[in-house]
Amino acid sequence: AQRVTQPEKLLSVFKGAPVELKCNYSYSGSPELFWYVQYSRQRLQLLLRHISRESIKGFTADLNKGETSFHLKKPFAQEEDSAMYYCALKSGGSNYKLTFGKGTLLTVNP
Amino acid sequence: ETGVTQSPTHLIKTRGQQVTLRCSSQSGHNTVSWYQQALGQGPQFIFQYYREEENGRGNFPPRFSGLQFPNYSSELNVNALELDDSALYLCASSEKPDRTTDTQYFGPGTRLTVL
């Protein structure tokens, strides 16, 4: 069975500091991984997916199959990055089932 | 382009009752997925509907059922409500169920409280 683990429930950094949100997964197939973000009073939205290998809002994430990780990184955190971040794994082949981690609440202090 | 909408926003029911939650998918999307998000947890997949047929189900009992209509809107029905059913119910729509490049767009959710 697939599983996504986000070990940190809360993460607090200062503006301008680097930030890394950790995500580990367990899946026997070929994984497709995503980061979703939920800003205060907004709906859940896709931040980035590993297959695109792109940087969104300064965030990047690299899939490391050896370590089964997909950590989200940003070199210089901004106050507007404060949000709840969820790592998610797509599985199921013919259907778009997402398995989410429990989320990490990131707070960027001024 | 209209985003995913859900109704109602909040709902309070008592144990044993039945509830129906509604979702309108984003324009052009024919796939709807439902998730349950308990407090402090990530969303958990309930089931998915594609072209009016169930297209996958998570680990939820049969008292959780759904429908998708020809206009691709969807309903989630929960019978015999239990206290643990209290959660935020999220609906997400996408263009197709299995395209890797596809994105699931989430609605704002319906907050269900079971007393």
Side-chain angles (χ1 to χ4, degrees):
Chain A
Q2 59 271 12
R3 183 177 294 174
V4 175
T5 303
Q6 293 180 250
E8 303 137 330
K9 215 171 191 177
L10 303 169
L11 185 61
S12 182
V13 301
F14 285 103
K15 178 182 169 182
V19 63
E20 182 179 51
L21 291 90
K22 291 184 167 51
C23 171
N24 288 90
Y25 67 90
S26 170
Y27 183 55
S28 56
S30 185
E32 294 179 44
L33 284 141
F34 306 80
W35 278 98
Y36 276 80
V37 61
Q38 188 166 29
Y39 300 102
S40 179
R41 299 180 191 276
Q42 294 188 28
R43 60 187 68 188
L44 198 59
Q45 58 186 285
L46 178 67
L47 179 62
L48 56 79
R49 69 185 92 211
H50 91 268
I51 201 164
S52 300
R53 301 182 67 82
E54 56 193 346
S55 172
I56 304 290
K57 299 185 180 184
F59 284 98
T60 58
D62 289 318
L63 178 61
N64 186 323
K65 291 186 179 179
E67 295 182 1
T68 60
S69 68
F70 187 56
H71 302 326
L72 184 67
K73 299 176 185 178
K74 184 169 183 176
F76 307 103
Q78 303 299 314
E79 288 180 67
E80 55 265 29
D81 297 328
S82 296
M84 185 66 116
Y85 291 81
Y86 294 96
C87 183
L89 167 71
K90 175 179 178 284
S91 62
S94 65
N95 73 48
Y96 201 131
K97 169 188 170 181
L98 290 173
T99 299
F100 286 85
K102 291 186 178 182
T104 298
L105 180 62
L106 173 66
T107 303
V108 181
N109 300 297
Chain B
E1 190 178 85
T2 309
V4 178
T5 60
Q6 292 186 244
S7 63
T9 307
H10 297 91
L11 205 49
I12 298 175
K13 291 284 188 180
T14 54
R15 215 165 27 167
Q17 284 189 309
Q18 179 265 341
V19 70
T20 297
L21 311 182
R22 293 177 177 83
C23 170
S24 289
S25 59
Q26 185 161 311
S27 175
H29 288 183
N30 58 23
T31 304
V32 172
S33 301
W34 286 92
Y35 293 83
Q36 181 196 65
Q37 187 174 18
L39 204 59
Q41 305 292 317
Q44 193 172 356
F45 178 74
I46 303 174
F47 44 54
Q48 180 184 86
Y49 278 83
Y50 171 57
R51 293 186 173 177
E52 304 177 57
E53 300 275 339
E54 188 179 288
N55 185 45
R57 189 179 183 92
N59 196 23
F60 280 80
R63 59 189 185 84
F64 285 78
S65 63
L67 277 175
Q68 189 178 32
F69 300 99
N71 66 355
Y72 303 127
S73 66
S74 178
E75 284 182 356
L76 164 65
N77 299 291
V78 187
N79 293 323
L81 282 167
E82 300 177 0
L83 297 179
D84 283 350
D85 295 334
S86 294
L88 181 69
Y89 288 85
L90 296 170
C91 165
S93 76
S94 54
E95 197 173 326
K96 290 224 168 117
D98 58 354
R99 264 173 35 177
T100 301
T101 55
D102 217 356
T103 297
Q104 281 200 337
Y105 292 87
F106 282 82
T110 293
R111 173 73 61 190
L112 173 64
T113 302
V114 182
L115 303 175

